[in-house]
Amino acid sequence: MATVSMSNKPKEASIHRWRRQEATTAYLFSLPTLMLLVAFSLGPAVYAFYLSGVSWNLLNHMHWVGINNYLHLFQSQLFWISLKNSVVFAAVVMPTQTVIAMIFAVILNQNLPARGIYRLAFFFPSISSSAVTSLMFMWIFNKLGLLNGFLAWLGIPGPNWIGNPHFALSAIMLLNIWSTSGYFMVIFLAGLQSIPQNVYEAAAIDGASRFQRFLKITVPLLRPSTFFIVVMGMIGTLQMFDQSFIISGGTGGPLNSTMTIALYIYQEIFSYGQVGYGAAATVFLFVFVLGLTILTNRWLGKPIEY
Amino acid sequence: MTRTKKTVALLSVVSVTCLGIVGCGTTNSASSATGSSAKAPITIVVASWSGTNVTNGIIDQQLAQFNKTHPTIHAVYRPISGDYETILKTEFVAGDAPDIITLNNGGEAPTFESEGVVLPLNSYIKQSNFSMSDFYSGAINMFKSGSNVYGIPRDQSPLALYYNPVLFKKAGIFGPPTTWTQFATDAQKLTNPANKVYGLVQTPQEPRWAEFITQAGGNVMNSSMTKMTLNTPAALKGFSFFVDLYRHGVAVQPSQVGATWGGQALGMGRAAMTLEGAWAVPYLQDTYPKTQFAIAPLPKGPDNNYSLDFPTAWAITKDSQHPKQAWEVIKYLTGVGEKQWIEQGGLVTVRKSLISMHYYQANPIYHNLIAELPHAVPWNFPNGFNQYVNSTLSNVSLLAVAGKLSPQAALQELQQQGTTILANQGNR
């Protein structure tokens, strides 16, 4: 590069100019997207940090209160209940959906008859509206509904899934696992396609059983997909809002049993006019999710070598 | 050549972006331009929560008639679906709320009033000699703060006893209960868990138990709403009576029979009795035409036969550019319109003069709802009680009903939390 510039100065200047032009062009072309991103995504996100330090009920004048919102938040019993619910929800749903998605992906990666239909059936929940599936599950979980009818047929008296604080969150867990597993299955399917076939052949020749091949080859070599799914699943479950909102009718009830942290934020800001508390909880959730994602990255994020 | 092409392409991208941004601003200036021009009629937007097709149709029809007789004003109806008051709040922040909104009971009305996002109507009332004396005082007082009137009543409904006469007959009971004692024994007779039929199906979340406290001679708060009064013997008497119905298994929550509210449970034939307002009448007639139901006055309590009342009102927002014209619309809706409102939607009048109108004689189902009006008291809370009303009241009463808190401990908890809110008023 240096010799080129020594020998041909005008050419280097033109390359330089060309590069600058190219960069300007690139920025101009991405300008619409960048503006939208700043206006509707990054901007509001940064604004949330500012809002976490004010007292404002949406209708009055806001004033600065510093860290008081955080102090109040950490003393609020409801905040800890909502955090606990979200963590329990994530701790159950994320691993379950990951395992189910992986098993289904491996099964549907075989040459089964009519596997296209199965793939469609499993993927279908993730392309249907979450409001619609929530309503559907409200009927399934109805005290006199489909699920309890089935349980009664088996001789088990079904609980009041949605009305009983002990079962309401579990009902939403089932709904969430059902609706997200299919989407993650597709990602695992893509990951399975990229595992070289010869690794399996070599293992088969060495006498590894089907199950051994799954455990020692498929699972470790799927790590990039697993990493993506675990991170997305974790973020998605910790931010779960819509299903709780619809099933509890926006209250987080019965007895706050379906109050997730995202629903808590919504209620504080929009229902109770405590924008500062809500924003502080938002910042807390951001830091919490960021920390967990960094930890997951340490654990699963390393590249793999074939 | 290529360079010019590139420049053109870039320019177009940039200009499209700019257009997109400017676009947001243009609509505003356009609408205000039409508003200020002398010839075009002034647009007044009227908003309410989107109800059934019936109510939406009535407002549309009334506004169309208003527009015919008022050529300088063009009123349009905008139903808000979803979380009505939340959406209104965001519109107030953006400064583009509708000209006229509906204030609801038990909601954000006190917040809207104290934050000044709805206008006091006193001067308009005075200027146009609008008579308020024909309205039921409970409905007016609900939307009054000090001497300021913030809303003109639209409709209201007291609670009444809905019951299923077929189930009553089957249980060998003739006629609805008229006293608490009868109410409890009838509920017992009507309950048949094997058939999933219960004497009373009712959410303990809603202010239904407050009804019993009121009838026992107590109240949730004193009349000036400066003190919690849940620690009185009367309050305990009323609350215990309500809680015991559940604990004895003659009352259940709607979710226990697969319903979301008492009216639905009654329609499904699972509830022999439920406590609802007029809103359940069109619902039951439309959704469950095969289920027979009747309405009786509330069974009388040991102290009185009061009924809790749930009025709504029209109000003008601070964002209205033309409050004078908006007032004309409200005058029409609550005057000429009120009669049609009842005739088409079947709701309970807020005007005393309409109580003897033909519609009520032709539809005797409303008779006992109307009969509650003279002793109806509005269900109301001051500013700052949102969370208390939406969540605390229901959670604590749920614990009491489930037997995890004694009625006394539950009331004590509610008394204490309410007192804290009252003490904190002004500090926030």
Side-chain angles (χ1 to χ4, degrees):
Chain A
M1 196 69 184
T3 47
V4 174
S5 68
M6 289 279 263
S7 60
N8 200 341
K9 262 201 172 154
K11 198 176 175 186
E12 191 238 17
S14 91
I15 284 177
H16 206 75
R17 206 173 55 219
W18 178 78
R19 278 218 177 121
R20 218 174 41 213
Q21 236 172 26
E22 203 72 340
T24 322
T25 315
Y27 274 114
L28 276 172
F29 269 110
S30 29
L31 188 67
T33 313
L34 279 177
M35 280 165 70
L36 287 177
L37 196 68
V38 168
F40 293 108
S41 191
L42 293 176
V46 172
Y47 191 49
F49 279 86
Y50 169 73
L51 284 180
S52 73
V54 304
S55 167
W56 185 38
N57 75 0
L58 288 174
L59 301 176
N60 61 1
H61 291 284
M62 57 170 91
H63 63 266
W64 187 254
V65 294
I67 61 160
N68 274 355
N69 287 334
Y70 290 92
L71 295 180
H72 170 92
L73 191 69
F74 295 141
Q75 281 166 12
S76 156
Q77 207 190 348
L78 191 57
F79 168 72
W80 293 112
I81 292 174
S82 70
L83 183 67
K84 192 198 90 191
N85 284 340
S86 280
V87 169
V88 168
F89 184 82
V92 172
V93 172
M94 192 269 287
T96 317
Q97 72 190 9
T98 308
V99 170
I100 290 179
M102 190 185 281
I103 291 171
F104 276 129
V106 170
I107 293 173
L108 292 182
N109 201 32
Q110 321 288 323
N111 269 325
L112 293 173
R115 70 173 177 180
I117 293 174
Y118 286 112
R119 284 187 185 180
L120 176 73
F122 291 129
F123 189 61
F124 189 71
S126 49
I127 53 169
S128 4
S129 146
S130 128
V132 173
T133 56
S134 300
L135 284 174
M136 215 171 80
F137 267 72
M138 275 181 81
W139 285 106
I140 295 176
F141 287 128
N142 190 305
K143 177 75 169 73
L144 310 176
L146 204 61
L147 180 60
N148 280 353
F150 178 69
L151 289 176
W153 184 65
L154 293 176
I156 305 166
N160 184 357
W161 290 95
I162 294 166
N164 187 327
H166 296 293
F167 291 100
L169 193 65
S170 322
I172 299 178
M173 285 175 181
L174 285 175
L175 160 61
N176 199 286
I177 291 169
W178 174 80
S179 62
T180 47
S181 294
Y183 173 71
F184 291 138
M185 177 196 76
V186 172
I187 293 165
F188 271 133
L189 268 175
L192 284 172
Q193 317 283 320
S194 67
I195 299 178
Q197 213 50 47
N198 54 11
V199 187
Y200 286 108
E201 282 160 14
I205 290 167
D206 288 344
S209 71
R210 251 169 187 272
F211 185 66
Q212 278 175 323
R213 274 177 276 162
F214 170 73
L215 217 58
K216 303 278 174 175
I217 300 172
T218 312
V219 174
L221 289 186
L222 271 178
R223 205 173 58 211
S225 308
T226 315
F227 170 60
F228 174 78
I229 286 165
V230 165
V231 169
M232 296 311 287
M234 198 174 65
I235 294 173
T237 48
L238 283 173
Q239 297 182 344
M240 194 273 290
F241 168 81
D242 42 1
Q243 292 158 345
S244 257
F245 185 83
I246 292 168
I247 288 197
S248 71
T251 61
L255 288 180
N256 298 324
S257 59
T258 59
M259 177 73 82
T260 63
I261 188 154
L263 187 55
Y264 175 80
I265 292 168
Y266 173 86
Q267 282 197 348
E268 284 291 342
I269 294 181
F270 293 109
S271 303
Y272 307 139
Q274 304 284 2
V275 178
Y277 300 160
T282 310
V283 170
F284 178 88
L285 181 63
F286 167 75
V287 172
F288 188 66
V289 171
L290 183 74
L292 283 178
T293 310
I294 290 171
L295 284 179
T296 318
N297 188 29
R298 288 239 177 110
W299 174 44
L300 286 171
K302 289 162 278 181
I304 52 164
E305 288 165 24
Y306 293 113
Chain B
M1 195 62 207
T2 43
R3 174 166 294 183
T4 44
K5 246 187 197 165
K6 213 180 207 173
T7 327
V8 169
L10 277 181
L11 273 176
S12 58
V13 166
V14 173
S15 57
V16 163
T17 317
C18 295
L19 264 182
I21 290 159
V22 173
C24 306
T26 9
T27 40
N28 263 340
S29 54
S31 68
S32 61
T34 46
S36 58
S37 87
K39 295 238 168 129
I42 288 160
T43 301
I44 297 293
V45 179
V46 180
S48 186
W49 50 88
S50 62
T52 56
N53 293 336
V54 187
T55 36
N56 290 344
I58 302 170
I59 303 181
D60 270 333
Q61 239 179 50
Q62 289 189 5
L63 293 183
Q65 275 169 22
F66 171 85
N67 290 340
K68 255 187 229 158
T69 47
H70 297 73
T72 52
I73 305 173
H74 177 72
V76 287
Y77 175 49
R78 185 155 70 81
I80 295 179
S81 51
D83 219 337
Y84 172 72
E85 284 173 326
T86 300
I87 292 167
L88 275 185
K89 268 192 199 171
T90 58
E91 291 185 345
F92 280 129
V93 178
D96 61 355
D99 299 86
I100 298 174
I101 60 167
T102 315
L103 291 178
N104 200 2
N105 52 71
E108 300 274 11
T111 319
F112 288 168
E113 289 165 15
S114 67
E115 296 299 351
V117 295
V118 288
L119 305 179
L121 301 173
N122 300 39
S123 58
Y124 300 103
I125 293 170
K126 214 172 159 193
Q127 266 172 27
S128 55
N129 285 322
F130 187 78
S131 166
M132 297 293 283
S133 59
D134 192 26
F135 292 101
Y136 282 99
S137 56
I140 298 174
N141 292 342
M142 177 108 187
F143 304 103
K144 226 169 146 181
S145 177
S147 61
N148 283 341
V149 177
Y150 288 96
I152 306 297
R154 180 183 95 168
D155 53 42
Q156 65 178 338
S157 180
L159 286 180
L161 180 75
Y162 282 61
Y163 67 99
N164 184 329
V166 178
L167 290 175
F168 267 66
K169 224 174 183 177
K170 253 191 223 165
I173 307 167
F174 303 97
T178 52
T179 61
W180 277 18
T181 331
Q182 268 182 27
F183 183 60
T185 46
D186 286 357
Q188 178 80 56
K189 284 184 203 161
L190 289 157
T191 301
N192 186 347
N195 290 353
K196 295 240 181 281
V197 172
Y198 294 90
L200 176 73
V201 181
Q202 190 71 73
T203 45
Q205 285 98 325
E206 289 183 62
R208 299 299 186 273
W209 50 261
E211 171 68 54
F212 289 90
I213 290 184
T214 313
Q215 287 199 345
N219 213 331
V220 177
M221 278 185 174
N222 64 355
S223 56
S224 55
M225 295 198 291
T226 49
K227 242 178 90 183
M228 298 297 296
T229 53
L230 283 171
N231 54 357
T232 58
L236 182 62
K237 195 172 181 183
F239 189 67
S240 304
F241 178 78
F242 180 82
V243 168
D244 281 344
L245 292 173
Y246 287 84
R247 292 204 183 172
H248 295 156
V250 301
V252 292
Q253 294 191 52
S255 67
Q256 199 65 30
V257 296
T260 48
W261 62 295
Q264 193 189 3
L266 188 81
M268 288 162 67
R270 305 275 178 204
M273 295 184 279
T274 189
L275 308 170
E276 293 294 345
W279 51 82
V281 174
Y283 168 84
L284 285 168
Q285 286 170 343
D286 292 349
T287 321
Y288 297 101
K290 285 181 190 153
T291 309
Q292 274 193 46
F293 72 95
I295 302 174
L298 289 173
K300 195 174 173 297
D303 187 76
N304 61 59
N305 62 347
Y306 289 165
S307 169
L308 288 181
D309 189 23
F310 302 88
T312 65
W314 297 111
I316 303 177
T317 67
K318 67 161 174 64
D319 295 340
S320 176
Q321 303 275 316
H322 309 283
K324 244 179 146 170
Q325 281 78 4
W327 171 248
E328 290 299 315
V329 178
I330 290 188
K331 245 169 59 184
Y332 183 88
L333 288 174
T334 56
V336 185
E338 177 70 17
K339 197 174 163 211
Q340 289 174 340
W341 183 268
I342 297 159
E343 285 173 342
Q344 291 167 330
L347 291 159
V348 175
T349 177
V350 284
R351 281 184 175 275
K352 295 174 203 159
S353 59
L354 290 178
I355 200 161
S356 53
M357 66 186 280
H358 176 71
Y359 179 82
Y360 288 132
Q361 279 147 29
N363 292 275
I365 189 79
Y366 290 101
H367 182 80
N368 281 326
L369 277 165
I370 305 236
E372 301 275 9
L373 287 179
H375 43 263
V377 281
W379 171 247
N380 206 4
F381 277 93
N383 194 7
F385 273 77
N386 275 339
Q387 189 159 10
Y388 186 82
V389 172
N390 285 344
S391 130
T392 313
L393 281 179
S394 52
N395 283 349
V396 175
S397 53
L398 210 59
L399 286 173
V401 160
K404 286 175 186 147
L405 270 182
S406 71
Q408 206 154 7
L411 286 182
Q412 204 175 350
E413 169 82 23
L414 289 172
Q415 168 83 13
Q416 183 231 320
Q417 290 207 27
T419 307
T420 312
I421 300 173
L422 284 173
N424 284 343
Q425 284 304 298
N427 294 350
R428 276 185 178 168

